[in-house]
Amino acid sequence: MVEGGSMITKEITTSVREVFGKGPIGRMRAAGKTPGVVYSGGNEALALEFETKVLFQELLDIQGRNAVITLKIDNGTEKNVLVKELQTDPLKDSLLHADFLEIDVQKSARFVVPIVYSGKAKGEDFGGLTQISKTELVVEGKPLDIPDDCRVEVSDLAIGDKVSAADISLPEGVSLLSDPEMVCFSVVAP
């Protein structure tokens, strides 16, 4: 009934940023680079610079999704991060700044995962109405075990049938934090 793709992973090459302040940052952007910062639980933030084109292309298809990004830094280190915030200029459709949050891929964390419904409930053929009550689940697990989404096939559902959060299977090592009784999808009588 349910399957999910695994967490999206990306690699992005970056450099330690040496320039700060409005003027130097403006010149950096004009040269096709975007400033960024990696925050890591209480440690000093790391200032980075990215090739704007590369960063934009890599982040475009994962915006708003759970994705672990490995930053390969020119000082020889790597950091596993999640996108915290992207600042854009809506008038120029350009990327101004990227904030990342360093994570430990071996530690469990809390994630919100979208639910994707597919198929047409057979109850609709008999006049039933489908109701989507929830479009996401809150789960916990190691970042690389978290599915990109939870896919639910609803073709077999008749009038009166429902899918609750507990009915949605999750990968091994991932646990449900949402209320298991929460109704996510139902087919109701007209």
Side-chain angles (χ1 to χ4, degrees):
M1 179 199 227
V2 179
E3 60 183 63
S6 58
M7 172 77 79
I8 299 169
T9 57
K10 294 260 183 190
E11 277 188 8
I12 301 176
T13 304
T14 182
S15 306
V16 174
R17 179 163 39 109
E18 306 291 343
V19 297
F20 299 90
K22 197 171 183 173
I25 293 288
R27 288 190 288 280
M28 185 178 89
R29 286 191 183 112
K33 300 202 182 276
T34 298
V37 174
V38 174
Y39 298 98
S40 54
N43 297 335
E44 193 172 324
L46 176 63
L48 299 171
E49 64 181 55
F50 298 86
E51 293 290 335
T52 301
K53 252 188 188 164
V54 172
L55 188 64
F56 195 75
Q57 287 171 339
E58 292 293 337
L59 298 183
L60 196 60
D61 62 333
I62 62 168
Q63 192 163 3
R65 297 167 76 185
N66 294 318
V68 174
I69 299 167
T70 301
L71 296 179
K72 295 194 168 282
I73 306 168
D74 67 352
N75 65 6
T77 63
E78 288 185 1
K79 291 193 179 289
N80 291 308
V81 299
L82 299 173
V83 175
K84 185 176 176 195
E85 182 183 7
L86 297 176
Q87 295 172 16
T88 57
D89 180 338
L91 299 176
K92 297 179 183 169
D93 193 29
S94 61
L95 197 53
L96 296 176
H97 194 274
D99 286 348
F100 298 95
L101 183 62
E102 185 174 14
I103 57 164
D104 181 344
V105 293
Q106 297 306 317
K107 272 192 180 165
S108 283
R110 184 176 184 268
F111 293 90
V112 176
V113 178
I115 305 170
V116 178
Y117 300 100
S118 61
K120 177 183 174 192
K122 69 180 178 188
E124 283 186 79
D125 294 337
F126 299 98
L129 304 171
T130 57
Q131 293 183 335
I132 296 175
S133 308
K134 296 294 175 192
T135 57
E136 54 192 29
L137 291 177
V138 180
V139 299
E140 183 175 52
K142 292 180 182 174
L144 297 176
D145 293 339
I146 301 296
D148 184 38
D149 55 38
C150 293
R151 297 185 180 272
V152 179
E153 173 58 53
V154 298
S155 302
D156 292 336
L157 298 181
I159 294 174
D161 288 347
K162 66 181 175 41
V163 175
S164 65
D167 297 328
I168 300 175
S169 63
L170 297 168
E172 196 174 316
V174 177
S175 55
L176 179 68
L177 294 182
S178 293
D179 177 359
E181 302 297 313
M182 173 178 79
V183 174
C184 300
F185 185 96
S186 56
V187 184
V188 297

